[in-house]
Amino acid sequence: MPVPTEELKLEIVNAATGKTLDGRAAPGQAGALVVREFPEGGPAPEQWQIVPVRSAPDEQVYVIRNATDGKVLERPAAAGGGVRQADAADGKKSQQWRLVPVEGEADLYCIESAADETALDLELDPGASLDESAEHGIAVLLRAYDEDAESQRWRLVPAEPERVSDPVLRWARLGHWNGRQSWRLAPSPALRPAPGATPSFSELLLVLDRFGTDQDAGGWKSEGAAPRPGGQPGWWAGLGARFLAETAGKAPADIVALKPAKGAVTAAARGDGTFEDEERVLHPPAPSASPEDLWTFADVTGEGRPGIVVLAADGVRVTQQEEDGTFAPPGGAPALKAFGHGDVAGGWRVDKHPRFLADTTGDGRLDIVGCHDDGVWISLQDEEGKFAPLSDEPALRAFGHEEKAGGWRVDKHPRFLADTTGDGRLDIVGCHDDGVWISLQDADGTFAEPLYVIDDFGSDRGWTSTEEHPRFALRTTGDGATDVIGFGPHGVVVARGLGDGTFEPSKLVLNDFGTAQGWTPEKHLRFLADVTGDGNPDIIGFGDAGVWVAHNLGDGRFEQAQLVCRGFGYDEDAGAWRVGHHPRFLADVTGDGRVDIVGFGGPGVYVARNLYRRFRTR
């Protein structure tokens, strides 16, 4: 775990004893800090904040501050004395500490004094058992650093998140004298308003009794790959998938679903958060269609009209949208005999070989990039809209499935295409076992050998899988460089980009949305999207009680999460939504420029409208 930022409160736990650091010393211990047991029902453990010393140019040192009274840890003046608390003094070396990660341990640190080579340790009584010593508190002192001493290892445990609940508005049905039905927004008693909280979304409204898992709503089952909830570029959808797409090239987004017999069908958005009852076929399946085919909608040529791209058995098939908004029937030869799941197209597999549609050169046209067994393969699109045949060799012998190309695994090692230098060309970023690797793209389109840039976000650092710990490479601030952000074991972690392909050390910036706070891939969805319309991605989580949002503060930090919609959640009271059965998305279905929440439940399609700007301007 990276060192938490100063905004987070945490407990400091000794690895050898499992006891917590406390500033309230027992009688007879002359004010020295201790570690002790905190039984249930007793006083809460002391909480601390780790504050970087910004005036230390040569090394990163910290002040460890008591979150309650503001006092800080200070080394004793005399040898053998106990570590104690004191009033903070700027630049005082005896109050500064280094946090050194323990080799091979994901979340353990040695806390060293910045004044010398001594480290925080415990004064264990050799004649007493550990439990007897802990009953009254074990004194904390400084000893010479010993890499084998478990009593010198400490775990930083973030405090429970300080979540708040927003008031929620609901849809109320209105009946008119002529029989017409309409809806208005009305206060809901579901949640009690929290002081200072701002409503963000309305309650759920069932807007279409189709595309649901219930038999009366179509009996839909997602049989293939599903697009990411955040709709990031490069997503692919398989047979049975339901999602949102701007089929006209602009908001509002329509419902799109992949039917085995009909192909891609749509229910058009009306612009008010509801959808047409009529189901229209956008694109019928090709005669050679397979359940293994993957689909996506993307503006391939940069002309503002999305096309349909299918990774088929015989390669990449592209159907451009006509000026009247229709799509030509499938047929003819593939645009590129590669990147497909058939042997003639390279034998690409979903569980081994990620593929992306992305503008790698900055010319406005999407290229095709894939990570196969032996490395990275690329097909560039030319001005005529044609894709270049693959060369005889991969563009980079790295980021591939086989051991000679790095042994990258889809279920453990996420890979991204992102411009990390600001030159308009996409680089390759990947999270492997030991951390983050990056390959920069040169001006001539070639990729440099990968560089190791961040010692975090890897499976050896506690990020066990792509599902349990989603990671992203994107800008967390509108005018900043590409950052790496992820939902780690202890919460949200960010490594700020420096604009040259390197990154600042990763920081734990929010004690929420991690496995330590109860978020699991079997129950919950987490991703990033701009909820407020300020251009910065916010954190969205579909939890037990409903939808939680942590607003982006614009500087790489996030507010504590707020419950913005009491629906789309795992609990029965929140609708009993299930991952794998009930897809949920953020998309603008009203055309007002703000993303709404759309979910495919049992009876059909539900929508919660975004109300953020409406209430912010009052």
Side-chain angles (χ1 to χ4, degrees), residues 532-549:
T532 62
D534 63 357
N536 298 322
D538 307 297
I539 298 172
I540 300 94
F542 291 84
D544 290 332
V547 183
W548 295 85
V549 171

Side-chain angles (χ1 to χ4, degrees), residues 63-74:
V63 170
I64 302 176
R65 181 175 63 197
N66 190 301
T68 302
D69 58 21
K71 292 190 175 183
V72 300
L73 261 63
E74 184 173 76

Side-chain angles (χ1 to χ4, degrees), residues 552-571:
N552 192 324
L553 294 173
D555 58 358
R557 297 176 300 131
F558 296 86
E559 293 179 352
Q560 289 287 326
Q562 298 184 9
L563 184 63
V564 298
C565 182
R566 197 172 179 83
F568 299 109
Y570 186 84
D571 289 347

Side-chain angles (χ1 to χ4, degrees), residues 115-192:
D116 53 27
E117 299 298 321
T118 56
L120 286 192
D121 205 338
L122 301 183
E123 189 177 26
L124 296 172
D125 185 354
S129 68
L130 185 60
D131 290 337
E132 291 173 341
S133 301
E135 184 176 352
H136 301 292
I138 305 172
V140 178
L141 44 73
L142 288 175
R143 284 202 176 99
Y145 171 70
D146 181 358
E147 65 178 7
D148 296 324
E150 191 175 3
S151 57
Q152 292 186 4
R153 300 176 181 180
W154 302 83
R155 180 173 286 109
L156 309 180
V157 182
E160 288 295 315
E162 299 173 0
R163 296 171 176 166
V164 296
S165 297
D166 271 1
V168 170
L169 297 185
R170 62 183 175 85
W171 291 99
R173 186 190 299 269
L174 286 178
H176 300 268
W177 64 271
N178 59 0
R180 186 174 62 87
Q181 294 288 327
S182 64
W183 300 84
R184 65 180 176 87
L185 292 171
S188 168
L191 292 175
R192 179 177 298 173

Side-chain angles (χ1 to χ4, degrees), residues 111-406:
I111 303 177
E112 294 182 347
S113 171
D116 53 27
E117 299 298 321
T118 56
L120 286 192
D121 205 338
L122 301 183
E123 189 177 26
L124 296 172
D125 185 354
S129 68
L130 185 60
D131 290 337
E132 291 173 341
S133 301
E135 184 176 352
H136 301 292
I138 305 172
V140 178
L141 44 73
L142 288 175
R143 284 202 176 99
Y145 171 70
D146 181 358
E147 65 178 7
D148 296 324
E150 191 175 3
S151 57
Q152 292 186 4
R153 300 176 181 180
W154 302 83
R155 180 173 286 109
L156 309 180
V157 182
E160 288 295 315
E162 299 173 0
R163 296 171 176 166
V164 296
S165 297
D166 271 1
V168 170
L169 297 185
R170 62 183 175 85
W171 291 99
R173 186 190 299 269
L174 286 178
H176 300 268
W177 64 271
N178 59 0
R180 186 174 62 87
Q181 294 288 327
S182 64
W183 300 84
R184 65 180 176 87
L185 292 171
S188 168
L191 292 175
R192 179 177 298 173
T198 303
S200 293
F201 290 89
S202 71
E203 281 191 341
L204 282 68
L205 174 67
L206 179 64
V207 297
L208 192 62
D209 56 359
R210 298 187 183 188
F211 303 106
T213 54
D214 294 350
Q215 288 302 314
D216 292 342
W220 282 80
K221 296 180 180 179
S222 296
E223 300 176 21
R228 292 180 179 180
Q232 290 85 3
W235 59 262
W236 301 97
L239 190 67
R242 293 150 287 163
F243 52 92
L244 280 297
E246 296 179 359
T247 62
K250 59 181 180 180
D254 304 316
I255 294 172
V256 178
L258 303 180
K259 280 192 171 182
K262 291 187 176 182
V265 300
T266 182
R270 291 180 174 137
D272 60 356
T274 65
F275 300 88
E276 298 288 349
D277 292 334
E278 181 184 0
E279 185 179 294
R280 179 168 59 92
V281 176
L282 269 181
H283 190 263
S288 59
S290 164
E292 297 183 56
D293 291 351
L294 298 177
W295 296 57
T296 192
F297 279 75
D299 180 7
V300 178
T301 62
E303 297 176 351
R305 295 195 304 271
I308 296 175
V309 183
V310 181
L311 301 179
D314 55 357
V316 181
R317 291 185 169 270
V318 179
T319 304
Q320 299 289 359
Q321 187 175 162
E322 305 294 341
E323 292 187 3
D324 61 358
T326 61
F327 294 87
L336 180 65
K337 293 183 179 180
F339 298 106
H341 53 83
D343 292 338
V344 295
W348 293 72
R349 297 288 181 264
V350 173
D351 59 346
K352 290 184 177 181
H353 310 132
R355 285 153 283 178
F356 307 89
L357 274 176
D359 178 11
T360 64
T361 62
D363 63 359
R365 294 178 173 273
L366 299 186
D367 311 304
I368 305 176
V369 182
C371 301
H372 207 281
D373 292 333
D374 52 357
V376 180
W377 293 81
I378 299 176
S379 173
L380 300 179
Q381 185 185 176
D382 61 24
E383 295 181 357
E384 297 179 356
K386 297 180 180 179
F387 290 92
L390 297 188
S391 61
D392 295 332
E393 298 289 333
L396 181 66
R397 291 192 178 276
F399 300 101
H401 184 79
E402 292 179 349
E403 292 301 322
K404 62 182 179 181

